Amino acid sequence: MIKITKTVLTTMISTTLLSTFSHAQWSDSINDAYETSKEKSKEIYHSAKQRLEPKQLTPQELKEQRFSALWEEVFEEYQEGASILESSKNAPNSAWFSKDKLDYKGDLDQVLNNIIGILTEDNLLLYKQEMIDKKRNISSLKSDIIFYREKMVGAPKESMIHTTKSQYRDKIKNAKDEIAIFKNDIEMIKRRLTKRFQENGINLSTEQIDVLLTRVDGDDIIQMTVIMDVLNRITEQILKLMQESNEELSQAKKYYGMHLISWQLVIHIQQRYIDKVNNNFIPQIEHIINQTQKMMGKTSRLYEMEQDAQKKRIYRKNLNIQAETKKVAQSYKEQLLLANSEMKKAQQVSLSNLKLAQNTYYTVSLSSELYSVISESQTLFNKIAKIQMPNIIPFENKKIKQKYQEITGKLLNNQR
């Protein structure tokens, strides 16, 4: 007699029951299990993805994050600058075997240039490379369109192995669509610049931003605007440190010395702009004007000597183009001189503020008074930013804009 255990009996019953299901029922059961497993896997995947993916930061959070990283770098340079200022206070005007005021000024200039390098590593200043990349892509696509149009002339209407006319038309359409996207990206960059200027109390239209991006001093103006914004943040941080020092005098003086570095930095940047315009941009534009004037004289003589009517018309056209170039170059020069004049006025205000701050630093003994003086500086920084902003006049037409771009290109090429 065969002895049946409980396990064997259970197995036999299960097998019997399974055999009674129809094939369709069995398939449905498998499908249900698969779908349930699939949905569960999706849930696990999305849950894990949400945990692993970094949180999308808001523009303000990104700004705070960038400043935190920047502060770590700039703090040491600020301390070094404050130390140099303190050491130079009693230095002689001239010395053979020790550092004099001129030596300390050289050290301070190096620190200020280091700070400028740190402060201008801002995402906003990536606009230049972004703009270059977008414009380069647009230029390449325009070349592609010309190529496709040339090829389309001799292309077959239908073919299994050669590109057809309709396919070239599709390529042209796709290229135009891409150009539209890149142009939109450029407009987004301009809007980003507009917003950044607004944050500094400077309202510029899209047309004015377009002019700024065309001018040879555009980078310097944007750089100064960026730095003014960051200086306000640095001032806030210095005030916070001063508060946390519980008005301990030695610490308060140290932080106030760091605050003086901000004013030195403003004046240093303003002077760099003034020097660049006086010693670089203006002489180069004057050279362009002189060369154009010589070319106009030569063209006029050739025009007078020419007997052929058609050739005379071409000489006349060339003369008009040269006259337009000279006119725009003179206008460009006037705008740079005006901007330089505004910068000098702003620098006088900055120097006045620095003298007041230095006098306070050397005479005030209560940290609470130092604190109040620093607090007022944030408003002064914004005022300086507005004073030194040149009067940016929008272009009258595309032709003038093109001439400005040509002259800017020549100026930039001469700097390389």
Side-chain angles (χ1 to χ4, degrees):
M1 185 176 180
I2 301 172
K3 187 177 180 180
I4 301 175
T5 63
K6 184 177 180 181
T7 304
V8 173
L9 182 61
T10 303
T11 304
M12 290 171 65
I13 292 169
S14 299
T15 305
T16 305
L17 287 171
L18 284 170
S19 65
T20 62
F21 285 131
S22 66
H23 182 270
Q25 288 173 317
W26 180 81
S27 297
D28 288 344
S29 298
I30 292 297
N31 286 336
D32 288 343
Y34 170 74
E35 289 299 327
T36 301
S37 175
K38 182 177 163 185
E39 291 302 318
K40 190 67 178 172
S41 296
K42 283 183 180 178
E43 289 177 15
I44 294 170
Y45 170 75
H46 287 301
S47 176
K49 187 179 179 185
Q50 287 175 353
R51 289 196 301 272
L52 292 172
E53 282 185 345
K55 179 188 172 186
Q56 192 70 27
L57 299 176
T58 64
Q60 185 59 34
E61 287 173 332
L62 283 170
K63 189 175 181 180
E64 293 294 334
Q65 191 180 76
R66 287 198 299 271
F67 179 76
S68 296
L70 180 149
W71 172 254
E72 294 295 326
E73 284 190 76
V74 84
F75 185 71
E76 289 185 17
E77 295 291 345
Y78 260 75
Q79 286 191 111
E80 177 66 19
S83 175
I84 291 170
L85 283 178
E86 182 66 23
S87 300
S88 67
K89 184 171 62 175
N90 298 316
N93 292 326
S94 179
W96 285 97
F97 303 108
S98 62
K99 278 194 170 185
D100 56 27
K101 290 190 182 297
L102 190 61
D103 293 326
Y104 281 114
K105 185 182 182 304
D107 293 342
L108 183 60
D109 285 346
Q110 182 59 54
V111 169
L112 296 177
N113 285 327
N114 292 342
I115 293 173
I116 290 170
I118 295 169
L119 296 187
T120 51
E121 287 178 2
D122 185 281
N123 282 354
L124 178 69
L125 292 181
L126 293 174
Y127 84 92
K128 187 173 184 179
Q129 190 56 49
E130 289 180 46
M131 295 280 283
I132 290 170
D133 291 341
K134 306 297 180 190
K135 288 179 178 179
R136 186 183 292 123
N137 287 330
I138 289 171
S139 178
S140 177
L141 286 165
K142 286 181 176 179
S143 297
D144 289 344
I145 289 172
I146 293 170
F147 175 78
Y148 297 148
R149 281 175 178 160
E150 291 172 351
K151 287 292 183 181
M152 191 168 63
V153 174
K157 289 185 177 180
E158 295 180 4
S159 176
M160 295 293 290
I161 57 173
H162 296 291
T163 306
T164 63
K165 288 184 183 295
S166 62
Q167 288 172 330
Y168 276 121
R169 275 194 289 269
D170 289 341
K171 286 177 181 288
I172 291 170
K173 181 183 178 303
N174 291 337
K176 286 181 176 180
D177 289 343
E178 285 190 65
I179 288 173
I181 292 170
F182 286 126
K183 284 183 176 179
N184 183 64
D185 290 343
I186 290 172
E187 291 305 312
M188 291 290 288
I189 295 170
K190 291 178 184 178
R191 283 196 285 272
R192 199 171 78 207
L193 278 168
T194 302
K195 184 178 178 183
R196 189 55 174 270
F197 276 103
Q198 286 173 346
E199 289 172 356
N200 286 272
I202 300 168
N203 294 314
L204 297 177
S205 66
T206 306
E207 292 78 15
Q208 287 174 313
I209 289 291
D210 203 29
V211 175
L212 188 60
L213 291 172
T214 306
R215 285 174 53 144
V216 72
D217 61 343
D219 282 359
D220 300 279
I221 294 166
I222 292 169
Q223 183 190 69
M224 285 184 282
T225 304
V226 171
I227 287 178
M228 288 296 180
D229 181 40
V230 180
L231 287 180
N232 273 328
R233 304 292 307 282
I234 289 172
T235 302
E236 288 175 7
Q237 199 67 28
I238 290 173
L239 285 170
K240 184 180 177 183
L241 289 170
M242 190 174 280
Q243 282 180 319
E244 292 173 353
S245 71
N246 296 318
E247 299 188 357
E248 206 283 313
L249 183 57
S250 63
Q251 287 297 312
K253 286 189 71 175
K254 168 189 167 183
Y255 296 138
Y256 195 80
M258 292 173 65
H259 167 65
L260 288 179
I261 293 298
S262 289
W263 279 117
Q264 292 277 5
L265 187 65
V266 171
I267 293 165
H268 183 74
I269 293 169
Q270 290 168 333
Q271 190 60 47
R272 287 207 321 182
Y273 177 87
I274 292 167
D275 291 342
K276 192 182 285 187
V277 171
N278 286 338
N279 304 326
N280 193 343
F281 298 151
I282 296 300
Q284 287 187 58
I285 289 183
E286 286 176 343
H287 177 71
I288 291 171
I289 292 170
N290 291 335
Q291 290 296 105
T292 306
Q293 184 64 46
K294 289 178 182 177
M295 180 62 71
M296 288 176 68
K298 184 177 180 180
T299 305
S300 295
R301 289 191 297 272
L302 290 170
Y303 172 80
E304 295 297 333
M305 292 167 58
E306 186 58 57
Q307 300 298 318
D308 185 274
Q310 185 177 359
K311 291 179 181 178
K312 283 182 79 73
R313 281 197 299 272
I314 295 172
Y315 278 126
R316 171 53 61 185
K317 185 178 180 181
N318 291 346
L319 198 57
N320 290 338
I321 293 171
Q322 291 158 11
E324 187 68 27
T325 299
K326 181 184 173 183
K327 179 182 175 183
V328 173
Q330 287 172 330
S331 174
Y332 206 147
K333 178 186 172 182
E334 289 169 8
Q335 289 189 24
L336 284 174
L337 287 172
L338 182 60
N340 212 29
S341 175
E342 292 300 308
M343 190 64 68
K344 287 177 182 177
K345 291 178 186 176
Q347 191 184 50
Q348 288 304 310
V349 177
S350 299
L351 284 165
S352 175
N353 289 328
L354 175 63
K355 287 176 183 177
L356 175 62
Q358 286 174 329
N359 185 264
T360 306
Y361 176 63
Y362 296 139
T363 59
V364 172
S365 59
L366 296 177
S367 59
S368 58
E369 291 183 39
L370 290 174
Y371 180 92
S372 65
V373 174
I374 295 177
S375 299
E376 294 173 4
S377 293
Q378 288 177 301
T379 305
L380 294 174
F381 283 140
N382 286 333
K383 284 182 179 178
I384 294 294
K386 291 177 186 178
I387 292 171
Q388 68 190 24
M389 191 67 198
N391 183 24
I392 300 174
I393 303 168
F395 294 118
E396 294 177 15
N397 52 52
K398 289 183 179 179
K399 190 175 180 181
I400 292 178
K401 178 182 177 181
Q402 185 179 353
K403 287 290 181 185
Y404 263 77
Q405 289 173 329
E406 289 173 6
I407 294 170
T408 299
K410 289 178 182 178
L411 295 174
L412 292 174
N413 286 334
N414 288 336
Q415 290 182 64
R416 296 190 182 109

